[in-house]
Amino acid sequence: MKPTQDLIEFHDLAPPQERFLDAVLEGFGRPQKQIPCKFLYDQRGSELFEEICELPEYYPTRTEMALLERYRADMAAAIGPYCQLIEFGSGASRKVRLLLDALDRPGAYVAVDISKVLLRQSAVALARDYPELDVVAICADYTREFPLPPPGAGMRVAFFPGSTIGNFTPAEAEHFLANCARTLRGGGAMLIGVDLKKNPSVLHAAYNDSLGVTADFNLNLLTRINRELGGDFDLDRFRHLAFYNDARGRIEIYIESLREQTVAVAGRKFHLGKGERIHTEDSCKYSVDEFRSLAQRSGFIPSAVWVDGQGLFSLHLLRAR
Ligand code: TRP
C-alpha cells in the first residue's frame, strides 16, 4: 500500500487565526451582533455537523443522498467520462461517493474544506477506495479566491451539495455562482443541492432537533471563542434560537443571551442585554423556479433538476455558458 502522504495531494490554504479574531470583533461591534457561519466548522463543530446530518428531523442530508442514489445514472450521463469533480465543503466526502460510483472513469476529485483534519482523513480514505482517481485536498475558505488544479480531459464539474448555497444571502449567492460560472466556462457545469420552501413546522424541527445537537453545534462557537480567542463566555447563560422567517423565506439562527451580561473576547469587553441575539447563520429556502432564475442571473444555463416525491429538496444541474 502507498504511504498516506502519497495517496493525495494536500494544499493548506487555511485562513490565518487572526481572521477569526477580526471577524468576531467586527461582528460584535455591529448593532446586530454576528459571527460568520463558516467559523462553526472547527474540529468539534465539523463532528457535530456530521451528527446533525444523521438526525431524524434533519431531512436535507437523507433526502439529497436518496436523490443522488436514484438519479445518479442520469447525472453521470450528462457529465460524461474523465470528469474533474470539485467539491466545495466536502466534509466527510460521503455524498460524492454515490456520484463517483456512477460516473464513467472519473479523472480527478478535488475536495475543498475549511476543516483540516476531517478533510485530510476523508480524502485519504476516498483515495484508498478509488485507486484510479487523482485526489486533491485543498484546505481553504472557498468564499475567497484560491487556485485550482488545471482541468483534465473531461468536463469540469463543481459539486456543491447540502444546500450550503442557502447560507449565503441571495445577493451573495448570485455573486458566488457568478464566480463559479466564470471558473467553469467553456463546457463546465455545476451540480448543486438546494433546500426547498415547505411547511414551516418541518423546517423548524430540522433546526431545533429534540436531542439538542443543533443547539450544541451553534453554541460550540462560544466554546471556540473561549479557547482560541481568550473568551470568557459562560455557556449556561446563552441558548440556541432558530425560527423560520416566512417573509424572507429563510431559517434564521441566533445565540440568545439569557440575561444582561458583559463578556470578554481577547481583552475587549462587550455588553449583551437580556434577550439580545448574536446572529450565526441564515439558511435561505428557494422554490425550484426561484433558484433557476437566480442561477440564470449568475451566468448559468439551468439544465436538469431532480426533486424528491415530497418536494423537500432539489438537485440542479447548471451549465456554464
Ligand atoms: N448548511 C446547513 C443548513 O443550512 C447548516 C446547518 C444546519 C446549520 N443546521 C444548522 C448551521 C444549525 C447553523 C446552525 O441547513
Side-chain angles (χ1 to χ4, degrees):
M1 208 185 322
K2 281 199 241 175
T4 295
Q5 64 269 23
D6 294 341
L7 274 173
I8 63 165
E9 190 181 317
F10 191 90
H11 298 279
D12 189 356
L13 310 172
Q17 187 63 23
E18 73 252 25
R19 289 254 172 82
F20 183 32
L21 178 60
D22 292 346
V24 171
L25 293 181
E26 198 266 321
F28 278 15
R30 296 190 185 199
Q32 165 64 73
K33 291 186 175 58
Q34 63 155 66
I35 305 171
C37 63
K38 62 187 167 199
F39 296 109
L40 287 161
Y41 301 90
D42 66 348
Q43 177 77 17
R44 178 78 185 127
S46 296
E47 285 164 15
L48 286 167
F49 186 66
E50 292 300 320
E51 255 182 72
I52 288 176
C53 293
E54 309 277 330
L55 293 168
E57 296 98 330
Y58 196 71
Y59 64 86
T61 311
R62 232 180 305 119
T63 311
E64 189 176 40
M65 301 266 284
L67 280 175
L68 280 167
E69 227 174 313
R70 180 151 183 198
Y71 297 111
R72 59 186 164 176
D74 300 344
M75 298 171 192
I79 290 170
Y82 315 119
C83 75
Q84 180 192 50
L85 259 188
I86 304 163
E87 182 171 7
F88 298 120
S90 48
S93 287
R94 278 173 63 219
K95 291 170 185 166
V96 77
R97 287 169 179 260
L98 295 172
L99 198 57
L100 284 169
D101 290 342
L103 286 166
D104 179 12
R105 291 158 288 169
Y109 171 58
V110 183
V112 186
D113 205 279
I114 199 154
S115 189
K116 204 178 300 183
V117 174
L118 181 65
L119 171 68
R120 191 189 289 275
Q121 280 171 357
S122 310
V124 167
L126 192 121
R128 285 199 203 289
D129 294 342
Y130 297 85
E132 302 299 307
L133 194 67
D134 281 335
V135 179
V136 181
I138 305 178
C139 184
D141 172 359
Y142 59 77
T143 63
R144 294 168 183 262
E145 245 176 86
F146 65 95
L148 279 174
M155 189 187 280
R156 180 179 248 187
V157 180
F159 183 46
F160 196 33
S163 200
T164 309
I165 193 69
N167 302 136
F168 295 104
T169 66
E172 287 166 355
E174 201 174 315
H175 182 77
F176 177 75
L177 289 179
N179 281 338
C180 292
R182 206 168 340 102
T183 307
L184 297 165
R185 81 186 145 213
M190 187 157 196
L191 183 60
I192 181 169
V194 182
D195 196 16
L196 297 175
K197 286 189 168 151
K198 61 182 62 65
N199 185 332
S201 65
V202 176
L203 289 168
H204 188 271
Y207 294 86
N208 291 280
D209 66 277
S210 57
L211 289 175
V213 183
T214 302
D216 288 349
F217 173 61
N218 195 16
L219 293 169
N220 176 58
L221 257 176
L222 302 183
T223 308
R224 182 175 183 185
I225 294 175
N226 285 348
R227 185 182 60 244
E228 295 183 20
L229 307 179
D232 69 351
F233 286 93
D234 176 351
L235 268 69
D236 292 334
R237 298 180 175 186
F238 294 89
R239 69 161 183 145
H240 162 75
L241 180 69
F243 56 85
Y244 188 63
N245 179 334
D246 198 44
R248 309 199 72 158
R250 67 189 190 197
I251 288 278
E252 298 183 3
I253 301 162
Y254 301 89
I255 294 170
E256 188 179 76
S257 175
L258 293 172
R259 54 159 96 173
E260 186 170 352
Q261 54 185 317
T262 301
V263 294
V265 179
R268 295 256 311 260
K269 293 217 185 302
F270 295 94
H271 177 264
L272 284 149
K274 181 173 179 182
E276 188 175 344
R277 298 165 180 179
I278 303 166
H279 185 215
T280 56
E281 190 176 72
D282 285 332
S283 190
C284 297
K285 310 303 174 186
Y286 293 92
S287 70
V288 165
D289 288 340
E290 280 170 347
F291 187 74
R292 283 168 69 91
S293 309
L294 178 85
Q296 195 148 29
R297 289 197 298 277
S298 311
F300 278 107
I301 301 159
S303 179
V305 53
W306 296 275
V307 179
D308 61 286
Q310 294 185 77
L312 294 173
F313 201 90
S314 59
L315 266 165
H316 298 247
L317 185 70
L318 311 174
R319 296 187 182 278
R321 284 186 215 278

